Amino acid sequence: MGNKTDRSKTIEQLEGIEWPDPPADGTGLVKAVHNLRKRPINLLTPWEMSRLIGQDVGIPWLLPAALGILRKTATDQPLGGFYDDDLLTAVLTRRSPIWQSNPEWTTSLKEIISLLEDISPNIREDVQRFLLETETGAPN
């Protein structure tokens, strides 16, 4: 996908923006997002990436990394391998301007979807919405 991001860096380093500590009464998700921004991208698990992507944090760096993970695991799915529906859902449900601004990401995700032999019933609607939206340009 041609992404040349140094994945040993954190989102905080790549953005050049240091967030303050989360509020003491912040939710677990708020605290997790604040902490995960300080971890190198290459040390984030798919689940951690899905949490960040789901909150629209670090999209320019995380989405290409997530697409790489999804592509790799899609080819393992027919062999009974694990496929991360949480990460796929987080990626699929990003707003349409992200896909319109990055057609190479759109193409990549469509290719990944075509590799999947068994899409979870829980995310079929997200897949259909993504495909319709990227074909028509209609926002989700």
Side-chain angles (χ1 to χ4, degrees), residues 15-128:
E15 283 181 346
I17 300 169
E18 187 174 327
W19 285 8
D21 289 336
D25 63 346
T27 65
L29 178 60
V30 168
K31 291 175 182 178
V33 167
H34 276 256
N35 289 329
L36 292 172
R37 288 183 78 254
K38 298 176 186 303
R39 297 222 3 240
I41 290 173
N42 63 349
L43 297 181
L44 295 171
T45 67
W47 184 76
E48 291 166 337
M49 280 188 190
S50 72
R51 294 187 90 187
L52 289 165
I53 291 169
Q55 297 301 307
D56 289 317
V57 173
I59 295 296
W61 306 282
L62 292 178
L63 210 55
L67 290 170
I69 290 168
L70 292 171
R71 179 176 297 281
K72 182 177 184 287
T73 56
T75 58
D76 293 341
Q77 187 197 28
L79 305 172
F82 174 74
Y83 195 74
D84 195 321
D85 285 348
D86 290 337
L87 185 57
L88 179 58
T89 298
V91 170
L92 282 169
T93 57
R94 294 312 84 216
R95 295 182 187 100
S96 59
I98 290 169
W99 303 112
Q100 293 167 358
S101 300
N102 300 281
E104 69 282 1
W105 294 353
T106 304
T107 300
S108 182
L109 186 51
K110 286 180 179 181
E111 290 170 358
I112 291 164
I113 291 168
S114 74
L115 295 172
L116 297 174
E117 292 185 4
D118 184 29
I119 296 175
S120 166
N122 299 328
I123 60 171
R124 283 190 190 131
E125 188 175 309
D126 293 330
V127 169
Q128 292 306 315

